[in-house]
Amino acid sequence: MNTSSLETLQQVFGYDSFRGDQQAIIDHVVQGGDALVLMPTGGGKSLCYQIPALVRPGTGVVISPLIALMQDQVDALLELGVRAAFLNSSQDWRTSRDVEQAFLAGELDLLYVAPERLLTDRCLDLLSSGRISLFAIDEAHCVSQWGHDFRPEYLGLSLLHERWPDVPRLALTATATTVTRREIAQRLALDDAPHFVASFDRPNIRYRIIEKNEVRRQLLAFIQAEHKGDCGIVYCLSRARVEETADFLCQNGIEALPYHAGLNPAVRAANQARFLREEGMVMVATIAFGMGVNKPDVRFVAHIDLPKSVEGYYQETGRAGRDGQPANAWLAYGLQDVVQQRRMINESAGDDAFRRRLGAQLDAMLGLCETVTCRRQRLLAYFEQTIGPCGNCDTCLEPPQAWDGTVAAQKILSAVYRLWRERGQRFGAGHLIDILRGKPTDRIQQYQHETMTVFGIGADLSEQAWRGVLRQLLAQSLLAVDHEGYGTLALTDASRAVLKGERTLMFRREPEKKVRSPRSTGTAKSKDAIVLPGEAQQRFEHLRTWRSEVARSHGVPAYVIFHDATLREIALTCPQTLDDLGGISGVGVRKRDAYGEELLRCVRG
Ligand code: ADP
Ligand code: ZN
């Protein structure tokens, strides 16, 4: 063995030292061991297989479901001087043939392959004729049938173990509940492999969950106040909502693009490429977008619909701030989200066990939304990790009050009860609130609901407050969306205890003041921390302009050339020689040789 892992890290990638478990994982794989690696998005999984692939003889084969991103991944490695290539269906046969020959000739350090391609006879034969240093199974949670990214092709990957029992296999994922972890280990025949579980905390991401009223306006206000000109992702549940939200943002001067599975594949690919290549783009997307997108400078991830599970939510928000700089995760959620999702679960195909599982996932998500304690504590508890209050989420920064909602809950539950018992009727949230607030609408008159004893008994609370009560009752399953599919509400077994006064209910009340923007809080984590002193800022802008030109001429995203953090460090420290440059994080030997002189000129100019 000629070069050590640490030397490879420093010379090829330009980083000083390993993070967290990287060293242990890499040592283990270099020595030929299998492993299951669980790290949050942005935790640094790629190096865990890239470095062993460089250190061990042969080619590292990376299995990734993300054909559209392979080109960028390979380009980034080529920029570092790593001999990388990919095989997938987007290539013509000539290119594939060249890649195959390079592999057979032992001229590749890394080869990326999509699972469906790998499982073809032709590809298996090819791999058998060359030398393989390791298999890296990226996005390994795609093997989980219960998960949100299930890919049937992944199930075929257990064959790697049978065919190449001596080649180390490394499965990597950012999804880490015990259930998923066990399922991955079992399906990929990794039962004996050690599990490396990193901390899932992403301290630079500020978590915030707000009450939804006019969500598009709220979103716009958030972006305008805190993220003007920043790159971000907005997640929605449906295609129609993606389209209308992207249009709305564009009409209001925010550059936004839509992304969902209903778009023509060419348009989708073009939008993704623009998001990766242009600065300050906002992608409005369904959850079909984002897996494997490793753009480091996404400054915010916003959800305007309630995500279906904490696991999915954490992966999606993890796409913000991979560069370690401050970033925001923002979610707006309201009564309608709960009604809609409970209804979708009732109507979903699949057996009871499946529905129960969806229900449990939703309950965990609702628990996070309604919590009066630190959001991050809740999030990490979901991954069975404990921390103290984080100081960087909305509840830590501006603690909400809890209020005794027992009487309010009794009023609304008894309205539901009486409607059903006395009249055999069920209604949705809006009408119930009208009854309680004593509002003489046409519908109230039509059904003569003004004659009910509960009519007007809730005039003391605003409509908004009642929606909050209903939402929290639904969140705690003290009310249910009935099975007929109209979003009407019914009591549950648990409602009885509240009606009988056997249970006290404490609800979350939003603080009057909204959480101020990171810009105005002036904490060490605020955005201001990124702004450089006068001249350095100028140098930084200068370097960025240079970078865009290089990126454009190479046809790669700007961050593939250098990350912002690297340019910032150069702008601040003003390196004078190539040696000085080599000491900067993110400048490896290859990049120093290729760009060093130009960088020095930029700094002097
Ligand atoms: P993941 O695949 O886990 O989401 P990546 O492998 O893309 O994360 O790494 C996230 C970011 O952290 C990348 O920009 C990467 O270059 C950087 N990084 C990873 N390991 C180190 C390290 N040891 N030192 C400095 N930067 C690192
Ligand atoms: Zn917190």
XYZ file of all heavy atoms in Angstrom, residues 102 197 205 212 334 420 543 564:
63
model
N -11.925 0.969 -20.104
C -11.089 1.607 -19.073
C -11.140 0.793 -17.786
O -10.127 0.582 -17.111
C -11.566 3.033 -18.820
N -22.986 4.512 13.349
C -24.093 5.458 13.442
C -23.564 6.795 13.940
O -23.122 6.919 15.074
C -25.179 4.953 14.411
C -26.389 5.868 14.370
C -25.578 3.521 14.067
N -28.541 24.053 11.128
C -29.886 24.253 10.573
C -30.827 24.731 11.676
O -30.936 24.105 12.723
C -30.432 22.955 9.956
C -29.497 22.467 8.851
C -31.845 23.168 9.419
C -29.937 21.157 8.218
N -50.090 27.740 9.856
C -50.384 28.122 8.474
C -51.662 28.928 8.408
O -52.668 28.555 8.981
C -50.543 26.830 7.676
C -50.719 26.997 6.199
C -51.164 25.682 5.556
C -50.027 24.765 5.222
N -50.461 23.640 4.357
N -51.158 23.460 9.286
C -52.436 23.878 9.859
C -53.436 22.746 9.931
O -53.154 21.600 9.580
N -74.172 14.081 16.318
C -74.306 12.677 15.929
C -75.462 12.001 16.679
O -76.320 11.376 16.089
C -72.972 11.964 16.195
C -72.994 10.514 15.817
C -72.822 9.452 16.637
C -73.200 9.973 14.515
N -72.919 8.281 15.943
C -73.159 8.573 14.621
C -73.438 10.537 13.250
C -73.329 7.720 13.542
C -73.626 9.692 12.164
C -73.564 8.297 12.318
N -13.473 36.438 -6.716
C -13.201 35.006 -6.847
C -14.423 34.255 -7.364
O -14.325 33.329 -8.160
C -12.773 34.418 -5.494
C -11.377 34.817 -5.012
C -11.221 34.570 -3.512
C -10.298 34.043 -5.783
N -18.047 27.813 -1.649
C -17.993 29.182 -1.128
C -17.035 29.279 0.044
O -16.273 30.239 0.152
C -19.379 29.622 -0.637
C -20.268 30.083 -1.787
O -19.786 30.105 -2.939
O -21.441 30.413 -1.527
